[in-house]
């Protein structure tokens, strides 16, 4: 009798102490991720130094101070998320798309006024969020990854920038549009008309505000630089995608606005007019994918457009500078040429054109083509009067440009020297020596190049032109080589990694994984009865198979290609586990319907992941290669529209029926059962009302439609929060002790799931009901196969506490599949920002951030963790003695949660290892760093939910 009593005391002590185990795991993981993040996601050292008008290079005359101004006024029109194919003619692309050739006014200017107008493909550096791009455009530096977190609350910029230089040098700046500008530069504008920018559902408020002030401001003389930042294209992309009617309407609206701007500038550009020497720039801060997302480093996101036009035409020699490397005929048969530039060069080029000091930290190069489009750079009268003047326009411009590059190179070299002496790590000595050598060679030739511009007495005009052209071009090439080399160096090494902190964080994660695995093994060994040792031995193949699946998935994260296809990898491994189970059952002759259904479910999930679900479908339309599009082609668009409107409602009704049946059987406390059931019925009714109100098939009065679109989601959120609160209160104060432990935990788990699921479902949109069916079917199959496994190994005996590692692994893989199935992926452009505004029109950082977090992690983290008790409990229901039922339930619950947390920790640890190895990889900020951020947040969220669950069930 002593031994059973001792065992019961141990089991009871383990049941009370197991929350402490998970709290300790959460604490260790939090510390490890904090240390690694501090070491990995450090921003580059931002020097609080500024350029001044009185700075002198000390190089030579002509390169002793900042270049003189070439333009009097500058108009910058920013069209947020302006794709390159929005501006360039469709003839530059393989296939014409509906959104192309809408900005006809820009194409016409580029075709008709080749000497004063040009389209550029502007290449941005990731991350391509608006804050990073505006900061990089104005400072001339590379964006810092850590600032992505500030995209919803931009801090003022303290680093030297063109806005600061404009204000300090007497230039008057007027801004209208996106309020991010006033957050970044709160004291730099003479006048500003900011409008809130984060309500992505609002396509018109910001644009209408800009339109109201733009044209009247062009007639005024109280500014030198005018910035107009439109947001309609960016918001249209986020909500509807690129291939959508709202997007096309926005582009057509912009075309009309730009036409009015050009006409106004032309009418006021006569000699002596206010815009005689004005430069117009129409540009994007970044591109966007076909789904309207941005933030990563794909070609669609980093390729944007810049259009430059000067009412004052430069001389014919400008064509020699612009070149004709990429020219094509537009739809009207006129030739249009396109150039390419780095957005990194924007700040320094604008500074050179306006005649202000270059930002201290700028590492760009004065772009020759953009610089040449300004007629002022061809004005020989502004050349150094003490220098020998070349004999033609082209050589005069080349000398002026060489002088600008000379100052540009000096400024970058000054920044390199200051950065290397101020930064903790700086750049490697090898790179610095190479860059310094390039600079020394360029400067050594400067005096000789300037002498060559003075014609010798015996030289003929033709001989002098050839020697001058050759010397100046060599000098330009030398400076360009130096600047491009340093830009390349900065892109590969601009972030300082603290390897000690990264190493400590990685080591803590590895030790945590080892400790979790050891604890799990000891727990399994301690709770097994002596007569179950043989059964425990039969678990080894299952454990080995589960470990193999986890190891393969973890190892795949070491490759950028497999990270991009992580959803397919998880689905492949899940299908492999299913096929292995089918083969094993077939060999024993006890094949079950659940195995066939699970295999079929995996096939459906694969198709959902393959075609992107919500990301490929925007409203009733679908991409051409999407299966829905094929169905529409066969049965007609009317059938397709009706099907797309009705199918989610039918699926929702089926989900509601299943959930209500589940509540009836799973919740055993009467008050809690009827409360959750009532809340579920109301929530699903409001979800259906919301989807019907969004549908275009039925006509609704405006008041009814507004209630369905705005109020119905809020009721769903409120009912979910109320159900959650009452579930917790019932756990704390309710009369649940009279129920067996199995029933008590089942009731708590079901109440939690039913409280969370309606909110998650409505945030997923119309795909939510279909995803819910997949999730419910997958969970049912895994639980039934778990019970079958228990019977096959004869573990369905009293006191059994052996959890099936394959079932937990399958549940983890299914969670990953659901993440990608719902249109998410581990990059910042994979966030479904529109979900944060379901039920709301105005932006509030806490409210929208919370909803966005639920949408992102709801189906892949919250619901899977809350569902874990069912895997643990249903294998214990055949036991009969209450004490041993309790022991088995607690043991299984601890093991299942430990296993799930361990699987998540292993994948996150491998991600951290991958990021450490690939920290100098070209795609580190576009792919590996976002993957790390998502996995780290996912791990901490999983640990936190497991901790709360352990407290809730203990």
């Amino acid at each position: 009798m002593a031994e059973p009593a001792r065992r019961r005391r141990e089991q009871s002590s383990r049941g009370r102490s197991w929350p402490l185990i998970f709290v300790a795991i959460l604490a260790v993981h939090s510390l490890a991720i904090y240390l690694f993040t501090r070491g990995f996601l450090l921003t580059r050292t931002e020097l609080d130094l500024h350029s001044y008008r009185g700075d002198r290079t000390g190089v030579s005359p002509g390169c002793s101070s900042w270049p003189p101004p070439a333009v009097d006024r500058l108009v910058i029109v920013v069209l947020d998320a302006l794709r390159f194919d929005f501006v360039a003619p469709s003839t530059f692309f393989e296939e014409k798309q509906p959104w192309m050739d809408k900005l006809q006014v820009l194409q016409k200017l580029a075709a008709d006024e080749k000497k004063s107008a040009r389209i550029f493909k502007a290449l941005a550096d990731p991350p391509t969020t608006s804050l990073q791009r505006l900061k990089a455009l104005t400072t001339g530096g590379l964006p810092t990854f850590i600032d992505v977190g500030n995209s919803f609350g931009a801090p003022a910029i303290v680093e030297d920038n063109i806005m600061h230089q404009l204000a300090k040098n007497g230039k008057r700046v007027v801004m209208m549009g996106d309020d991010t500008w006033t957050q970044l530069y709160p004291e730099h504008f003479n006048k500003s008309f900011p409008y809130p920018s984060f309500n992505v559902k609002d396509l018109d408020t910001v644009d209408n505000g800009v339109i109201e002030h733009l044209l009247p401001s062009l007639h005024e003389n109280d500014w030198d630089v005018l910035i107009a930042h439109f947001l309609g294209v960016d918001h249209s992309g986020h909500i509807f995608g690129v291939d959508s009617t709202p997007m096309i309407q926005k582009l057509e609206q912009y075309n009309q606005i730009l036409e009015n701007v050009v006409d106004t500038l032309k009418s006021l550009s006569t000699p002596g007019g206010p815009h005689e020497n004005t430069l117009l720039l129409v540009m994007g801060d970044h591109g966007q994918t076909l789904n309207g997302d941005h933030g990563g480093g794909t070609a669609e996101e980093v390729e944007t457009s810049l259009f430059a036009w000067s009412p004052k035409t430069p001389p014919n020699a400008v064509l020699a500078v612009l070149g004709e490397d990429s020219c094509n005929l537009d739809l009207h048969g006129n030739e249009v040429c396109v150039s390419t530039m780095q957005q990194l060069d924007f700040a320094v080029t604008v500074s050179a054109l306006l005649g202000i000091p270059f930002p201290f930290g700028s590492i760009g190069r004065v772009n020759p083509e953009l610089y040449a489009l300004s007629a002022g750079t061809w004005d020989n009268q502004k050349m150094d009067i003490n220098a020998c003047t070349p004999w033609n326009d082209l050589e005069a411009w080349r000398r002026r440009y060489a002088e600008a590059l000379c100052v540009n190179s000096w400024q970058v070299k000054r920044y390199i020297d200051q950065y290397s002496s101020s930064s903790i790590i700086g750049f490697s000595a090898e790179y610095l020596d190479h860059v310094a050598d390039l600079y020394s060679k360029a400067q050594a030739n400067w005096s000789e190049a300037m002498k060559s511009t003075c014609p010798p007495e015996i030289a003929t005009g033709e001989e002098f032109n050839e020697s001058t052209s050759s010397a100046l071009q060599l000098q330009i090439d030398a400076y360009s080589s130096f600047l491009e080399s340093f830009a390349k160096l900065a892109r590969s090494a601009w972030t300082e990694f603290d390897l000690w902190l990264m190493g400590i964080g990685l080591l803590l994660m590895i030790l945590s994984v080892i400790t979790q695995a050891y604890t799990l093994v000891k727990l399994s060994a301690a709770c097994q009865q002596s007569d179950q040792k043989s059964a425990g031995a039969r678990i080894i193949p299952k454990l080995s198979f589960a470990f193999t699946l986890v190891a393969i998935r973890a190892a795949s994260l070491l490759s950028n290609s497999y990270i991009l296809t992580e959803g397919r990898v998880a689905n492949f491994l899940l299908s492999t586990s299913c096929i292995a189970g089918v083969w094993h059952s077939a060999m024993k002759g006890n094949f079950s319907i659940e195995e066939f259904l699970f295999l079929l479910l995996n096939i459906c999930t694969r198709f959902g992941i393959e075609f992107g679900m919500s990301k490929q479908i925007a409203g009733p339309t679908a991409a051409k290669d999407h299966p829905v599009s094929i169905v529409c082609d066969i049965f007609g668009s009317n059938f397709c529209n009706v099907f797309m409107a009705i199918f989610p409602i039918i699926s929702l009704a089926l989900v509601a029926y299943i959930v209500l049946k589940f509540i009836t059987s799973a919740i055993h406390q009467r008050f809690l059962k009827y409360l959750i059931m009532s809340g579920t019925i109301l929530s699903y009714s409001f979800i259906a009302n919301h989807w019907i109100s969004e549908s275009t098939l039925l006509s609704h009065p405006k008041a009814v439609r507004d209630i369905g679109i705005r109020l119905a989601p809020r009721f769903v959120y409120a009912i979910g929060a109320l159900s959650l609160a009452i579930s917790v209160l019932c756990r704390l104060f309710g009369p649940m002790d009279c129920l067996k432990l199995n029933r008590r935990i089942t009731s708590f788990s079901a109440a939690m799931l039913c409280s969370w699921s309606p909110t998650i479902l409505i945030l997923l949109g119309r795909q939510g009901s279909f995803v819910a069916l997949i999730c419910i079917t997958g969970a049912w199959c895994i639980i039934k196969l778990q019970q079958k496994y228990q019977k096959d190994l004869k573990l369905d005996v009293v006191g059994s506490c052996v959890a099936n590692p394959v079932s937990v692994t399958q549940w983890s893989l299914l969670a990953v599949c659901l993440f990608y199935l719902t249109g998410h992926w581990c990059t910042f452009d994979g966030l479904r920002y529109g979900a944060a505004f379901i039920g709301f029109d105005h932006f509030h950082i806490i409210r929208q951030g919370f909803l966005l977090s639920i949408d992102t992690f709801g189906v892949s983290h919250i619901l899977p963790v809350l569902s874990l008790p069912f895997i643990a409990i249903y294998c214990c229901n055949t036991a009969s003695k209450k004490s041993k039922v309790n022991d088995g339930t607690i043991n299984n619950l601890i093991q299942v949660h430990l296993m799930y947390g361990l699987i998540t920790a292993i994948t996150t640890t491998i991600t951290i290892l991958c990021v450490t190895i690939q920290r100098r990889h070209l795609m580190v900020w576009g792919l590996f760093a976002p993957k790390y951020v998502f996995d780290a947040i996912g791990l901490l969220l999983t640990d936190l939910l497991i901790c709360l669950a352990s407290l809730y069930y203990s």
Side-chain angles (χ1 to χ4, degrees), residues 863-881:
L863 293 184
V865 173
L866 295 179
S867 304
L868 287 175
F870 294 101
I871 295 179
I873 289 172
Y874 276 97
C875 64
C876 301
N877 282 343
T878 55
S880 55
K881 293 184 180 179

Side-chain angles (χ1 to χ4, degrees), residues 10 186 262 307 315 346 539 687 849 908 922 931:
E10 289 179 356
V262 171
F307 171 83
F346 177 81
I539 298 175
I687 294 173
T908 305
L922 179 66
K931 172 61 178 170

Side-chain angles (χ1 to χ4, degrees), residues 753 811 815 818 857-869 900:
L753 281 173
W811 190 230
L818 291 174
F857 297 105
V859 77
S860 59
H861 291 77
I862 297 174
L863 293 184
V865 173
L866 295 179
S867 304
L868 287 175
Y900 195 87

Side-chain angles (χ1 to χ4, degrees), residues 714 836 840-852:
R714 300 185 191 185
F840 299 96
D841 292 327
H842 302 290
F843 176 79
H844 185 277
I845 187 168
I846 296 177
R847 181 182 63 207
Q848 266 56 60
F850 186 65
L851 291 177
L852 184 62

Side-chain angles (χ1 to χ4, degrees), residues 675-676 678-690 693 703-724 754-760 762-763 838-840 847 851:
L675 178 77
I676 296 297
S678 301
T680 299
I681 294 172
L682 285 174
S683 294
Y684 281 84
S685 299
F686 283 126
I687 294 173
N689 177 255
H690 175 68
S693 299
V704 175
R705 186 172 181 272
D706 288 344
I707 291 174
I709 291 178
R710 291 181 177 85
L711 293 183
R714 300 185 191 185
F715 285 134
V716 174
Y717 305 150
I719 291 170
L722 182 63
S723 300
L724 190 63
C754 294
S755 299
W756 277 99
S757 55
T759 297
I760 295 172
I762 196 172
L763 291 176
I838 293 178
F840 299 96
R847 181 182 63 207
L851 291 177

Side-chain angles (χ1 to χ4, degrees), residues 251-267:
L251 291 173
E252 291 173 344
Q253 180 189 25
Y254 287 173
N255 185 67
Q256 184 60 51
I257 296 168
L258 292 173
E259 190 172 342
N260 294 337
V261 169
V262 171
D263 290 343
T264 302
L265 293 177
K266 281 184 177 181
S267 66

